[in-house]
Amino acid sequence: MKQAARAPRVPFWLRWLIPVVLVVGWVAIAGVGGPTFGRLDEVSSNDQATFLPAGAEATEAREWQQKFQDSGEVPAVVVIESSSTLTHSQLGATADLKASIEDLRVGSTVVGPVPSQDGKAVQFIVSVAAAEPADAVEELRREVRAGAPDGTQTFVTGPAGLAADLTGAFAGIDGILLLVALAAVFIILLVVYRSLLLPFIVLLTSVFALCAAILLVFGMAKAGWIQLNGQSQGILSILVIGAATDYALLYVARFREALEHTANRTAAAITAWRASFEPILASGAAVAIALLCLLFSDLNSNKALGPVAAAGIVCSLFAALTLLPAFAALLGRAAFWPFRPKLQPEDAREPELVTGLEGQRGLWRAAGTLVSRRPRSVWVASVLLLVVASAGVMQLKANGVPQTAVILSASNAVDGQDALARHFDAGSGSPVVIVSSQATAGEVLEAVKAVDGVGAAYLLAEGSVPITGAPGSPARPAVRDGRVLINATLDFAADSDAAEQAVSAMRNSVTQADPGALVGGVTATALDTNTTAQRDLATIIPVVLAVILVILMLLLRSVLAPVLLVASVVLSYAAAMGVSALVFNHVFGFPGADATVPLFGFVFLVALGVDYNIFLMSRVREESLKHGTRPGILRGLGVTGGVITSAGVVLAATFAALGVIPIMFLVQLAFIVAFGVLLDTVLVRSLLVPALAYDLGPRIWWPGKLARREPQETTKAAEVAEAGVR
């Protein structure tokens, strides 16, 4: 056989200079971005203020509340509990403990000790500086343990305690998360490529992309453009590693193909870049723009994640289109050692396709044969399977979970909330905050007290001291701009459904006394968050779908194909959520799901799922231009099947790594995205989409030129495929 002719000599600047400059440039970025990874805590906060609904009543109430608290402190509740009635000696020890707590100076006030009615516990309300609540709470816990009476258990809970434990759940997890994700990707790449060097090249591309993303995110957070929290940090690492690896897999596949047809490594790198540029760019743009649609959310946590994640995708895109081609140009076939691609004979370059199955072997030939023989049966069966899986959505309880259920690891604050509910009003330490005008304060206070479930309610004087009317209590309330503050303690745990119902009733009641009154606090924030999250679903989902539809139309030069592809992604998302709901309820035993889980699941699954649509259909279109639509579909399925499957497994593995963070929201998101990506890869992209496209034939490209170019496909391909001729 005649060997391929040598490629023309490539100039030195293109063969060596540009690749070396690109690699050195990315090494410099990594050299700066790597150390910045450890500095993200400087611009990150897990304060609940970063999660609040931007325009909700609870947020406005919190802003007024801060005017009454010049120090910006948050309350911590110290609970000392005994299995039997506390003795006089033990009660005396708790009284002495107050002085020790005050000496810590973690905040401005210490209220207590307040004994419980059953005599088995006492509590303190301690103001904690909001700037460093985790350190202050840990110091407070040590002091309380040391000074508590013998035979008692101690807890530090309340908003400050829960915030500290939430911060602790994220502490040090970035490094572990990154190592788990990289190890999973490395093992998968070893299996896929059977090469010792290529997995390191791909991982370096991903890690350097992450370093660039960290620099970009750090700069934006430092400038105050975005709010960064532990949740966003964890998702950023996973998203960049997964996306950069996916883009790298697509480029490497085209690079391997190019090396089979040219002996020049630089020419092969350029050919692969040209072939993969459009799908990688379209994929990255679709995902980044979809993530930026989170800016339309009224939840601060969603708004914060959108730009952070989009920055990660942009850096992944640039790394895959610059650094990886530079590595490829420098290493050539050596990158695939010991299984280097062989140069094919010149007459083997462009096989004539009849069915589209020529030259294919193994699993993807079998899949192509099935699709070509029974296309309608395949796509109908796939749709029915997804519809059945989607039925589980009815069991999804995405209306929020108790704050004490958010942390899945051991938590002193969570245990403290249980102890608090056993001995005191369950809402102690997390009061409902009512802001009213000074003129109507009396009427509002009476309206609050009349609400079922309110254990106590009182006006606040300077220093957040309650006005109870008892001897020695202040007589005049604190006033800010004609407004006063009222605290109400509920009989229910602040994060319970009963508490949310009480807050809803309270809002209806107080607005009758003062139409401008605001009801806030922990419970009101949870209620407003759930309401806002439901509204965001209706707002953001249509925007994301529209963005993806437009990008697919531009890429495929078609209307019908993008509409069907988007419909397949939405159906795949519904099926993933349905199965996830069953797993959460009956396998993991979760009490529910955060209200933002459906939205985050949608954005990630639809935006990332469109990657595989783009990888598949861009290649199908390329092959259809050469060989016709139906042969092009089978050819595209065969040459991209391994790449898409590998990309799906990599992305699923990286998102599954989020499960190491003991936060319910992230564990649920990890399962939804990992399962959904695998479902999309194995069923939707391998069977449903190819079978539907094959059944429609050239009509799939309507109204593009490709549909008119093939008004009537030759019957030869269909006859050969139907007969199963090899």
Side-chain angles (χ1 to χ4, degrees), residues 71 73-76 105-111 125-129 160 463-464:
S71 59
E73 296 172 334
V74 291
R105 300 185 183 279
V106 295
S108 60
T109 59
V110 178
V111 178
I125 309 296
V126 183
S127 298
V128 173
S464 298

Side-chain angles (χ1 to χ4, degrees), residues 94-236:
T94 62
D96 294 338
L97 182 58
K98 180 177 182 178
S100 300
I101 295 175
E102 289 175 334
D103 289 342
L104 291 178
R105 300 185 183 279
V106 295
S108 60
T109 59
V110 178
V111 178
V114 179
S116 62
Q117 289 186 353
D118 61 10
K120 295 181 179 180
V122 297
Q123 69 167 325
F124 296 86
I125 309 296
V126 183
S127 298
V128 173
E132 297 292 340
D135 295 339
V137 167
E138 184 56 36
E139 189 177 5
L140 184 58
R141 282 173 175 158
R142 286 196 299 266
E143 186 63 34
V144 170
R145 279 195 300 267
D150 294 337
T152 60
Q153 289 182 297
T154 64
F155 309 95
V156 178
T157 184
L162 289 167
D165 285 0
L166 183 64
T167 301
F170 286 109
I173 209 71
D174 285 334
I176 298 173
L177 178 63
L178 192 57
L179 286 175
V180 170
L182 290 176
V185 171
F186 182 73
I187 293 171
I188 294 169
L189 292 177
L190 279 177
V191 173
V192 170
Y193 291 129
R194 295 177 298 163
S195 164
L196 297 179
L197 184 57
L198 199 55
F200 286 103
I201 295 172
V202 173
L203 282 183
L204 274 179
T205 302
S206 301
V207 171
F208 283 14
L210 179 58
C211 291
I214 287 169
L215 270 179
L216 188 55
V217 168
F218 182 86
M220 290 191 296
K222 194 77 171 177
W225 297 348
I226 61 171
Q227 291 178 320
L228 186 64
N229 53 53
Q231 175 180 292
S232 299
Q233 286 179 236
I235 292 175
L236 173 66

Side-chain angles (χ1 to χ4, degrees), residues 249 363-364 612 640-650 678 681-682 686:
L249 285 167
L363 175 64
W364 299 110
Y612 308 130
T640 64
V643 177
I644 292 176
T645 301
S646 301
V649 172
V650 165
L678 290 177
T681 304
V682 173
S686 300

Side-chain angles (χ1 to χ4, degrees), residues 2 51 68 91 138 165 301 342 344 358 368 378 414 423 449 490 525 553 568:
K2 185 179 178 182
F51 295 83
F68 290 85
L91 289 172
E138 184 56 36
D165 285 0
S301 53
K342 296 180 180 179
Q344 297 296 314
E358 290 83 0
V378 170
V414 171
H423 304 287
K449 289 180 177 179
L490 300 178
T525 298
M553 286 179 178
S568 73

